[in-house]
Amino acid sequence: MSATFQGSKNYVASEELMRSVNIAMALQKPLLIKGEPGTGKTMLAEAISEALGKKLVIWNIKSTTKAQDGLYVYDVVQRLYDSQFGNEGVDDIAKYVKMGKLGEAFSSDEQVILLIDEIDKADLEFPNDLLWELDKMEFYIPETKETVKAKQRPIVIITSNAEKELPDAFLRRCIFHYIEFPDAEQMEEIIKVHFDKVEEHLLEQVLETFYWIRGLYQIQKKPSTSEVIDWIRALQLGGVDVDRIRQEVPFAGVLLKKNEDIDVLNRYLR
């Protein structure tokens, strides 16, 4: 292994996760990271980028995203417009080809970190449509009759919120790691990364209340890391009585985002 990931000062990573990252890099395979929202999947790619001193290229996947979007886009409309108005260079098709995020990663002179974020948002065929490109690290542009090959094989990190199952053929090509939701001790470390100073009694009450709420089985959308960090900021700004946090759960709307969950919490607080 030419470079290894040993964590980052701004990211709390387990030994097992760091091993998964390094094995994926050594085997030159994509690392598929699953876990519920707030477990730091996206931040992992940022931490790897920071630790290894490599550029981060982020491809945010949406429900409408197609594999082609990540390769390149041929702007045929602009070319037609230019030809109608007699603009020069319309015969140079390459001028109208714009690289997508995968194309950008392949075209980079330096090795980059490529994050394919929330791949499970796209349709079921999306992962399969990327098999060749992720295996061979190349793709063909018919309009220019050009094959784009990766100058430096990117380190590929793929995240999934497990909203839908991914195809077996795709899974076989990945190194897999599931990030468990942080326990109270790990969460304390994460919180301290985000705050210069947190009063210990406040932190103790916050963590006790946060994990109590997550443990209520009727809660549909459990609060995640980002919510607890926002909640601490709200509590600090609101100047609440720390000893009343567990009994009253002030600013509950920062933690819970569904009416039904707020109702569940209120029933327990009565």
Side-chain angles (χ1 to χ4, degrees):
M1 262 180 262
S2 57
T4 58
F5 174 61
Q6 298 178 334
S8 162
K9 63 179 181 180
N10 295 320
Y11 185 84
V12 180
S14 68
E15 289 290 334
E16 184 182 356
L17 175 54
M18 287 189 283
R19 283 197 295 269
S20 295
V21 171
N22 289 322
I23 287 298
M25 289 194 296
L27 297 180
Q28 296 187 327
K29 287 181 175 289
L31 175 62
L32 173 61
I33 299 290
K34 282 190 179 183
E36 66 175 274
T39 51
K41 301 184 298 297
T42 301
M43 287 180 65
L44 171 64
E46 296 170 356
I48 296 170
S49 170
E50 177 190 336
L52 301 184
K54 296 181 184 295
K55 179 184 175 183
L56 176 62
V57 176
I58 302 176
W59 185 9
N60 291 305
I61 307 303
K62 302 177 181 178
S63 59
T64 55
T65 302
K66 303 297 180 187
Q68 176 68 35
D69 301 336
L71 306 181
Y72 73 96
V73 175
Y74 171 44
D75 195 347
V76 66
V77 175
Q78 183 63 50
R79 188 182 180 216
L80 179 62
Y81 178 87
D82 288 349
S83 65
Q84 289 175 335
F85 287 89
N87 291 345
E88 294 182 1
V90 291
D91 292 333
D92 182 9
I93 296 178
K95 229 172 65 169
Y96 302 95
V97 172
K98 181 181 179 182
M99 290 297 169
K101 294 298 184 180
L102 206 62
E104 180 185 336
F106 285 8
S107 301
S108 175
D109 291 326
E110 303 291 332
Q111 185 182 48
V112 302
I113 312 297
L114 172 63
L115 171 62
I116 304 177
D117 202 23
E118 299 189 333
I119 194 171
D120 52 328
K121 280 188 174 179
D123 64 44
L124 193 59
E125 288 307 309
F126 177 85
N128 281 337
D129 290 344
L130 286 177
L131 289 180
W132 170 270
E133 288 77 17
L134 292 178
D135 262 355
K136 304 299 182 184
M137 287 287 149
E138 65 180 48
F139 61 88
Y140 182 65
I141 304 177
E143 290 83 1
T144 61
K145 298 180 174 58
E146 173 193 8
T147 297
V148 177
K149 296 185 179 183
K151 295 179 180 179
Q152 300 286 339
R153 190 181 188 97
I155 297 169
V156 182
I157 309 296
I158 303 171
T159 71
S160 168
N161 289 328
E163 291 182 5
K164 64 169 72 84
E165 287 299 318
L166 299 173
D168 287 345
F170 181 80
L171 293 174
R172 283 196 295 271
R173 287 163 169 81
C174 298
I175 303 299
F176 174 76
H177 183 88
Y178 184 85
I179 299 182
E180 299 284 352
F181 194 83
D183 60 22
E185 185 178 341
Q186 292 171 316
M187 185 61 75
E188 183 174 342
E189 291 184 51
I190 292 170
I191 289 169
K192 287 180 177 178
V193 166
H194 288 83
F195 292 89
D196 292 331
K197 187 177 181 181
V198 182
E199 199 269 317
E200 286 298 327
H201 188 39
L202 170 64
L203 185 55
E204 178 185 313
Q205 292 299 306
V206 162
L207 291 175
E208 179 185 336
T209 307
F210 175 72
Y211 282 98
W212 170 69
I213 292 173
R214 280 186 57 87
L216 300 178
Y217 74 91
Q218 300 100 322
I219 296 293
Q220 298 177 29
K221 186 182 184 306
K222 297 180 185 296
S224 68
T225 307
S226 60
E227 275 94 24
V228 75
I229 289 169
D230 287 343
W231 192 42
I232 291 172
R233 291 194 178 106
L235 293 170
Q236 289 177 330
L237 290 171
V240 301
D241 181 351
V242 174
D243 291 321
R244 302 299 299 170
I245 290 176
R246 175 64 177 79
Q247 289 79 14
E248 298 175 1
V249 191
F251 312 120
V254 178
L255 287 173
L256 302 173
K257 306 302 170 65
K258 286 179 173 283
N259 290 339
E260 299 88 341
D261 291 343
I262 295 286
D263 291 341
V264 169
L265 177 62
N266 288 334
R267 286 200 297 272
Y268 276 90
L269 294 177
R270 288 184 190 133

